[in-house]
Amino acid sequence: MYGVCGCCGALRPRYKRLVDNIFPEDPEDGLVKANMEKLTFYALSAPEKLDRIGAYLSERLSRDVARHRYGYVCIAMEALDQLLMACHCQSINLFVESFLKMVRKLLESDKPSLQILGTNSFVKFANIEEDTPSYHRSYDFFVSRFSEMCHSSYEDPDIRTKIRMAGIKGLQGVVRKTVNDELQANIWDPQHMDKIVPSLLFNLQSGERTESRSPSPLQASEKEKESPVELTERCFRELLGRAAYGNIKNAVTPVLMHLDNHSLWEGKTFAVRCFKIIMYSIQSQHSHLVIQQLLGHLDANSKNSATVRAGIVEVLLEAAAIAASGSVGPTVLEVFNTLLRQLRLSVDYELTGSYDGSTNIGTKIIKAHEERQLQEAVIRTIGSFANTLPTYQRSEVMLFIMGKIPVPGVHLALPSTGSGPEGTRMIQIMLLKSLVQVTAGFQTTNMLTALPSSFLEPLLSFSLTEDPEVRLLVLQILLSLIDRHDNRPKFSDISIISDISVLKLKVDKCSRQDNLFMKKHGQQLYRHIYLGCKEQSSGRQHYETLFALLGLLSVELANEEVVVDLIRLALALQDLALSTDEGLPVFNRCAVHALAAAYLNLICQLTTVPAFCQHIHEVIEVRQKESPYLLPEDVFIENPKLPSSLEKVEGDVLFLQSKITEVLGGSGYNTDRLATPYVPQYTDEDRLSKRKSIGETISLQVEVESRNSPEKEERTPAEEITFETLKNAIVDSVGMEEQERERRRQVVEKFQKAPFEEIAAHCGARATLLQSKLNQIFEITIRPPPSPSGTISSGYGQNQSRSVPIYEMKFPDLCVY
């Protein structure tokens, strides 16, 4: 009997005998190494037998798993691993099939140790670069099983951690094995990414919850150092680093869905961490794709709660800042367009209290403070992103935002907000705050190109609105644009400084471009400073900002002509404070006096003309003794001590234009210009931006009509212009200005107080006149068509032109054929 068995054993194929010999009698002894070497040598010598060796090992392993002989299972897997590492022949594909079949068998087991054993073998296999391609291998099972292991909820926490880490390593192995092999199943397909990415994020998130309970670094062992979180992050980074241009979307979409499904936008920290990993892991030239997806997701969540939208905006803030160092060219304006749209929506939601009657929100109530937080986050994001852009792109963004600011009665093409005038005002403020952020730190060598008229003029027109908050924001934007040497903080407080050298101002010689800029826009800037001081609603902040603006103009953009104009402007402000016609409150008049004093004290030291400095300091000393309420130290404080009225401001407490003209004329300054009082030029743009009533708007239209009417041109004869005429025009400019102002006041008063019938009759008369003129023009220009049959005599003996039908026309013979 024993002889027969021995005989049969000898007849068995050699590869089976070699496989059987690697298994010891006691599995505790481990793999028989000498016999394993023989098996490996045989496999290398006869590679055509490799697939049979694999099949036989697979058969034995399946039997041992079924019989719970786990020692032999481990030995079989070790043998498979060694054969796999050693053999790279043409026929390895069939062996790999047997190997993967056994790994699958282990992963299907309920025993954690077998799952981990199978995973480790798969990882070793994943690191092998195969010489021959495989056309039919599938990894769908492994993706599903490893993803399931990542979510393990095993009772024992240590074993649970091991299973999860095995799942993460398995997914990493699948990615490595498939990502570079075009013949494999595409791992970037949504069906795979929707399993892999959430599994990794789940472990990243669960690690965040346990980090607070982790031991200190001194107590951490080697085992603690390789935590599931670190492993997951490494795997996630590797996955993203391998993503090509066309695969970025499939990798990021599951991240967005996971954050949505688990309400992780509100916390912000985890979402921000995820996208930091994404942005730093992908290739920099693909950054704009992630930004585009975030923008699209923000739009998709337009009617979600403010906390969700704020979370997405915070993530966008971080992502955009990182992406700005890479390729973001095509998405720059798209980022700002989406953010500005969200700002507009948020303002509407806050004021109307509803998401446009949407039904999918349920009973969710809009909380105003959450919308405010969102608006602040959007404005911060706009600023942060703009700060990473080059100057030319930032200029484009500034123009883009300026074009979005609604101007009542002008930008009628803009979609009207459902929140009415208050909504328009809030959007103006939000967009101007965004511009404050964009212009912060803005520095350019050529201000003419960086600040074109298409941006500066609408900005300055906003400085004339009645809303004090809007005016303050405009002034802050102007400060950011003009300050190129970080001098702005040195003008933060209005005070009389005896020696301005302590400010350590950085003053550069004015460039040719700066001179051209001031020649083009200087008068506009002076006018808006003057009119800003006239506003009754201007407060302490406004005057401090106006002082800073005057100071920066003196330091950054001042040549000799600009210095003269600024001194004239300061003296005009003093006259404004003395005037009682404007109806300014006592505080405003004292504030303007103090502002003029502080600025003249600054400019006199910048000009370094001793006699000029002496006059200014003498007046300031007199004020300190007799009327301290005309100096900034007593006005721009919490509780200013002001007199009840300002009737006796005269004599030595005033800066004298004649004296300043005299002392500066001796130093080579233009005395004629200094002696001419500054009078602001009023323009149509100024009046348009100050619509106090409908009557004023109508009066403006009538005024423009009356200026351009042909009747007036007929009545006014052409006058001869001589030297005397020009001289009189210069001398009488102030009087003419007063007459013009009085005429305007009368027109406004007429339209405000006159009966409706009178206004209607006036307008009707003008309309009738216009119609009669049009009729005359039409009679002259429109003639009946010529008739080849000539004229026909009417019964009254008059020649009357009329058109003859074609069939009655008599054509010459040469025209007929």
Side-chain angles (χ1 to χ4, degrees), residues 358-377:
S358 179
T359 54
N360 60 350
I361 302 300
T363 55
K364 196 173 285 185
I365 299 169
I366 292 176
K367 297 176 182 175
H369 71 278
E370 288 180 356
E371 292 294 342
R372 285 288 168 91
Q373 289 170 359
L374 167 66
Q375 291 156 18
E376 288 168 12

Side-chain angles (χ1 to χ4, degrees), residues 4 7 23 145 200 409 606 684 713:
V4 173
C7 176
F23 291 93
R145 184 61 184 144
L200 296 176
L606 287 172
D684 288 345
E713 288 175 13

